[in-house]
Amino acid sequence: MTAASSSILEVRDLVTAFDTDAGRMTAVDGISFNVPQGKTLGIVGESGCGKSVTAFSITRLLPQPHGKILGGSIRFNGQDLVQVPIDEMQKIRGNEISMIFQEPMTALNPVQTVGRQLAEAILLHSGCSKAEVLASSIEMMKKVRIPEPEQRLSEYPHQLSGGMRQRVMIAMALINKPKLLIADEPTTALDVTVQAQILELIADLQKEMGMSVILITHDLGVIAQVCDEVAVMYAGRLVEQAGVFDLFARPRHAYTQGLLESIPRLDSTPKTKLKAIQGNVPGIADFKPGCRFADRSGREHTEAQLNTRPPFVEIAPNHRAENCPVCVA
Amino acid sequence: MSLLTVKNLQQYFPVRGGVLHRAVASCKAVDGVSISLGESETLGLVGESGCGKTTLGKAIVRLLKPTSGSIEFDGHDITRVSTGALRPMRRHLQMIFQDPAESLNPRHTVRDILEEPFIVQKIGTKDERRQWVVKLLDKVGLSASVMDRFPFEFSGGQRQRIGIARAIALKPKLIVCDEPVSALDVSVQSQVLNLLLDLQREMGLSYLFIAHGLNVVKHMSDRVAVMYLGKIVELAPAVDLYQNPRHAYTKALLDAIPIADPTQRRERQLLRGDVPSPINPPAGCAFGHRMKHPKWKESVSMDLTLQEVAPGHWVQPCPCCT
Ligand SMILES: Nc1ncnc2c1ncn2[C@@H]1O[C@H](COP(=O)(O)OP(=O)(O)OP(=O)(O)O)[C@@H](O)[C@H]1O
Ligand SMILES: Nc1ncnc2c1ncn2[C@@H]1O[C@H](COP(=O)(O)OP(=O)(O)OP(=O)(O)O)[C@@H](O)[C@H]1O
Ligand SMILES: [Mg+2]
Ligand SMILES: [Mg+2]
């Protein structure tokens, strides 16, 4: 992990759970990572592994009253976000930390114009005049490359295409020039062509504004193209973290290796068998205390390895893994 | 002889509006598509959202009534045959959908779901059908013990296996696979793709394989067709298409694929603008129109029927994109 002084965010031993009818479900089970200043950390993992819950923990937007942070710390700008009172957190959110959500329609208000929503995002955090608000709204719409911004400001979200909505959400997230942007699957619902536009847009704005980014995705292609650091999540935990070149060249955990091998490559011979990971992603109720990838790894684990959690440690310079002796060779 | 021959197929939907709810325009979802498919062959179909892939697939298995053109399947013209007359052919013509949860009846057990095709076709005794169901489950890698469970008790990958089991129940000749792995976890996708490849080899199936992920399409297909706004703009052997794309749209699609290798980062020629609407599409070359190409005007008066530029490699001959 990079030196503490150059990280904008430091997450330590974060535990987040939901109280459900079936009991307490630990969705994020003690994860630690840093976001390097001005860089992009990718969090990659399959459905249900806890990516969004991690994002909602950092922004303190967990569904209430069921979602709770049970332990750990999230240090940002010298304060622990876990301990910050909720009204203080509201000021940080949308100002210093912004989030782009997986589904734009949940974040946009369907009965308000785009312009009104942008204006509210600005006014919440500053005392600008009406004219200033309009000017910066138009500027931001231009930045996210929405054609005819003046006209779009008076439209409603449903009048926009999926890619355009995603851009409006990015505009809202960036209008107050946050230090940290959390983008939760910003392109999953979009075509590859629009995805490429949006990713390039985020990267450009990042360069221009010097912000740090957490990019959440299940797509290793996206990770490879835009991230500096990568954290691989599986079943509520981090199994591996490293620089992007290191991780793709030398994946150490059996899960990361399996994932990388199973994606069809453009240079593969058509209609040949792909490598596959056996079994299915476990549901939250089936999370095991020990190595959670054991039953899919195709490798024999001892009783002790199934029952004791392997430590998440540095196994090579700047390369960490959940060090199950069977899965990390 | 090919198993499937589609000629100049059009599938329009009425767009209704006004107080009388009359058809005021038409959505040209599929607008003059010609393709063919041989035995044991896979034709991949790619294109942006809304370009008409699902509509083309549904028209081919005759879940829709084509507006014009013709569909010949296994020597029969099925363009206009009625549902009743289609029944004997239906067993050879199946479709798998993106979201298996939506296409499997939630109140039916796996056994009900898999027995149904046999019952509809009135074949087998109760005992025989039960045996077939066990065999089908085995074929798609599920144990016979799941027979009395309901779809919601399975993971996405397992549900897709059930969908595949149902589609192959009657030993079809052609399956339209509409984004069969898009809803699945990455680690499960390759299991399902391998299953489809195995079944093809074993049963001699033909696939029309629709997907967003171009790397997936390339891996699964013998030939690939690229669709834009209701029309095929390029069609070629899979490897050839990826190595020598001729149409500007194919190049743009290939360029946008995020390659899972950080040493292959590249400057992209990004496509600007959004996918246009198939309601009142532009005349001439639609992609040239989107790109505001200076030569687009020339394409308006041209015949844009696909031309063969290399063996088996077909492309729309337009002045702006090729
Ligand atoms: N409000 C909630 N109540 C109970 N459990 C929840 C709630 N929200 C999420 N979970 C559970 O927490 C786990 C992690 O969910 P999360 O949304 O973080 O997954 P994810 O990694 O973002 O997946 P995806 O790729 O599908 O978005 C899941 O098992 C989910 O069922
Ligand atoms: N039953 C229908 N009635 C009216 N319009 C329809 C109907 N089905 C599809 N369309 C329209 O036809 C066009 C093509 O849709 P289609 O679903 O075939 O696209 P697609 O290529 O499968 O897209 P995706 O990748 O998003 O699945 C779209 O504009 C769609 O809105
Ligand atoms: Mg999520
Ligand atoms: Mg579709």
Side-chain angles (χ1 to χ4, degrees):
Chain A
M1 217 169 280
T2 37
S5 60
S6 62
S7 300
I8 184 153
L9 187 82
E10 293 170 22
V11 175
R12 287 292 167 281
D13 305 315
L14 177 70
V15 179
T16 304
F18 293 98
D19 287 322
T20 71
D21 294 343
R24 181 164 279 184
M25 300 288 172
T26 307
V28 171
D29 188 17
I31 65 170
S32 302
F33 61 86
N34 289 355
V35 182
Q37 179 73 50
K39 296 271 162 65
T40 300
L41 168 77
I43 300 183
V44 62
E46 296 176 280
S47 191
C49 71
K51 303 181 298 293
S52 295
V53 173
T54 302
F56 289 134
S57 301
I58 297 169
T59 48
R60 298 275 301 277
L61 286 171
L62 290 166
Q64 295 303 321
H66 314 290
K68 287 192 188 72
I69 297 179
L70 297 182
S73 63
I74 302 171
R75 297 207 70 83
F76 175 77
N77 249 357
Q79 45 186 348
D80 183 357
L81 298 182
V82 176
Q83 308 298 340
V84 165
I86 208 74
D87 53 334
E88 181 77 12
M89 192 63 212
Q90 260 162 16
K91 279 188 220 148
I92 297 175
R93 199 168 50 225
N95 202 13
E96 291 176 88
I97 301 180
S98 278
M99 184 158 169
I100 304 175
F101 297 87
Q102 201 159 349
E103 173 43 63
M105 279 316 259
T106 58
L108 296 174
N109 185 337
V111 297
Q112 272 184 9
T113 63
V114 168
R116 172 103 187 267
Q117 296 184 56
L118 268 172
E120 276 186 8
I122 301 174
L123 289 172
L124 211 55
H125 298 284
S126 70
C128 301
S129 73
K130 241 183 159 177
E132 283 168 333
V133 167
L134 183 65
S136 41
S137 297
I138 291 175
E139 191 200 318
M140 200 63 226
M141 296 280 276
K142 280 188 183 147
K143 267 208 177 118
V144 297
R145 300 194 202 108
I146 292 180
E148 294 135 24
E150 289 88 349
Q151 185 201 324
R152 295 294 177 189
L153 283 175
S154 62
E155 291 182 353
Y156 292 87
H158 69 87
Q159 293 173 284
L160 307 175
S161 71
M164 203 85 92
R165 268 181 223 150
Q166 201 58 276
R167 271 175 266 191
V168 167
M169 205 161 58
I170 295 175
M172 278 173 60
L174 297 186
I175 198 147
N176 295 312
K177 300 201 166 40
K179 298 195 176 91
L180 175 65
L181 173 72
I182 302 177
D184 187 3
E185 311 254 14
T187 58
T188 302
L190 306 174
D191 278 306
V192 281
T193 48
V194 184
Q195 165 171 287
Q197 292 169 12
I198 299 281
L199 292 175
E200 195 205 48
L201 176 66
I202 293 176
D204 283 355
L205 296 170
Q206 175 178 24
K207 242 180 259 158
E208 192 184 317
M209 305 172 23
M211 82 193 158
S212 313
V213 176
I214 298 179
L215 179 71
I216 294 174
T217 176
H218 63 267
D219 187 338
L220 282 156
V222 170
I223 292 276
Q225 291 296 315
V226 303
C227 295
D228 301 295
E229 285 272 316
V230 191
V232 183
M233 250 184 125
Y234 188 73
R237 294 184 186 158
L238 285 192
V239 293
E240 190 159 4
Q241 191 197 351
V244 68
F245 295 99
D246 192 18
L247 188 100
F248 279 81
R250 286 172 293 278
R252 296 289 300 276
H253 195 284
Y255 174 61
T256 316
Q257 291 168 349
L259 268 190
L260 285 171
E261 280 169 359
S262 68
I263 27 183
R265 296 184 176 272
L266 273 182
D267 53 10
S268 68
T269 312
K271 302 181 89 164
T272 51
K273 270 220 165 178
L274 293 160
K275 288 239 171 103
I277 301 177
Q278 63 190 44
N280 292 294
V281 176
I284 191 164
D286 301 320
F287 288 175
K288 301 273 169 14
C291 173
R292 289 182 174 168
F293 191 60
D295 56 338
R296 303 182 70 193
S297 67
R299 305 175 190 183
E300 204 67 49
H301 285 62
T302 65
E303 203 58 33
Q305 284 158 348
L306 292 175
N307 290 314
T308 332
R309 179 173 184 169
F312 188 69
V313 291
E314 188 154 43
I315 53 168
N318 280 321
H319 196 136
R320 309 187 139 230
E322 187 175 78
N323 203 7
C324 166
V326 182
C327 287
V328 176
Chain B
M1 194 197 73
S2 34
L3 177 66
L4 174 78
T5 309
V6 174
K7 279 199 192 127
N8 208 12
L9 190 72
Q10 291 183 323
Q11 185 73 58
Y12 292 0
F13 297 109
V15 178
R16 297 184 188 281
V19 278
L20 296 175
H21 211 67
R22 256 190 293 209
V24 291
S26 56
C27 169
K28 303 181 173 178
V30 171
D31 197 14
V33 165
S34 302
I35 50 171
S36 67
L37 189 56
E39 270 171 38
S40 296
E41 192 191 24
T42 303
L43 177 66
L45 185 61
V46 292
E48 286 165 299
S49 185
C51 71
K53 305 182 294 295
T54 299
T55 305
L56 177 59
K58 282 186 176 167
I60 287 172
V61 301
R62 281 298 322 275
L63 291 174
L64 295 168
K65 261 198 189 120
T67 310
S68 71
S70 70
I71 306 168
E72 198 183 296
F73 175 73
D74 207 12
H76 305 273
D77 184 341
I78 60 165
T79 325
R80 313 223 163 267
V81 291
S82 65
T83 321
L86 194 64
R87 187 169 299 149
M89 244 148 338
R90 169 66 70 212
R91 58 183 297 181
H92 296 300
L93 200 52
Q94 295 285 326
M95 186 154 175
I96 310 173
F97 298 89
Q98 167 166 0
D99 191 349
E102 264 172 49
S103 60
L104 302 175
N105 187 328
R107 283 185 302 273
H108 285 182
T109 62
V110 172
R111 184 208 303 260
D112 299 335
I113 291 167
L114 296 184
E115 254 185 353
E116 192 193 67
F118 301 112
I119 295 172
V120 170
Q121 296 283 343
K122 301 192 179 70
I123 41 181
T125 63
K126 212 166 174 225
D127 277 348
E128 280 171 327
R129 289 199 298 259
R130 204 196 121 84
Q131 276 174 23
W132 291 334
V133 170
V134 173
K135 267 206 186 124
L136 277 174
L137 285 170
D138 183 56
K139 233 184 193 143
V140 298
L142 292 171
S143 116
S145 65
V146 305
M147 226 185 312
D148 295 310
R149 287 163 57 184
F150 294 89
F152 67 85
E153 297 178 67
F154 294 90
S155 71
Q158 289 168 327
R159 274 199 294 265
Q160 196 55 286
R161 284 170 195 272
I162 298 167
I164 293 172
R166 182 180 55 183
I168 62 170
L170 300 168
K171 303 206 168 63
K173 294 182 176 164
L174 170 67
I175 303 181
V176 172
C177 307
D178 190 8
E179 314 241 10
V181 297
S182 308
L184 303 182
D185 280 310
V186 194
S187 71
V188 178
Q189 273 186 18
S190 48
Q191 297 171 6
V192 172
L193 295 176
N194 282 343
L195 173 64
L196 289 171
L197 288 172
D198 282 346
L199 291 172
Q200 177 166 58
R201 230 166 278 138
E202 212 176 293
M203 306 171 61
L205 295 169
S206 302
Y207 293 134
L208 179 66
F209 189 92
I210 301 172
H212 265 114
L214 286 101
N215 42 356
V216 172
V217 169
K218 185 210 165 196
H219 191 84
M220 296 300 288
S221 308
D222 297 289
R223 291 182 301 142
V224 176
V226 179
M227 198 165 175
Y228 186 78
L229 205 62
K231 294 188 160 75
I232 306 287
V233 296
E234 188 163 5
L235 195 161
V239 176
D240 197 21
L241 186 87
Y242 286 79
Q243 283 173 356
N244 304 305
R246 303 289 184 110
H247 196 280
Y249 181 62
T250 311
K251 291 178 189 166
L253 278 185
L254 285 170
D255 196 47
I257 301 176
I259 296 179
D261 180 352
T263 63
Q264 287 193 47
R265 287 191 185 173
R266 48 201 174 149
E267 286 300 312
R268 297 204 157 82
Q269 297 295 315
L270 289 179
L271 260 190
R272 301 288 164 206
D274 288 303
V275 187
S277 157
I279 302 167
N280 301 320
C285 168
F287 187 64
H289 184 266
R290 170 171 171 186
M291 301 311 283
K292 301 196 171 65
H293 197 283
K295 287 194 183 160
W296 164 73
K297 264 220 157 95
E298 289 175 33
S299 76
V300 174
S301 55
M302 284 178 63
D303 175 9
L304 294 177
T305 311
L306 296 187
Q307 287 184 355
E308 194 168 18
V309 290
H313 195 140
W314 298 75
V315 66
Q316 234 183 25
C318 87
C320 37
C321 296
T322 47

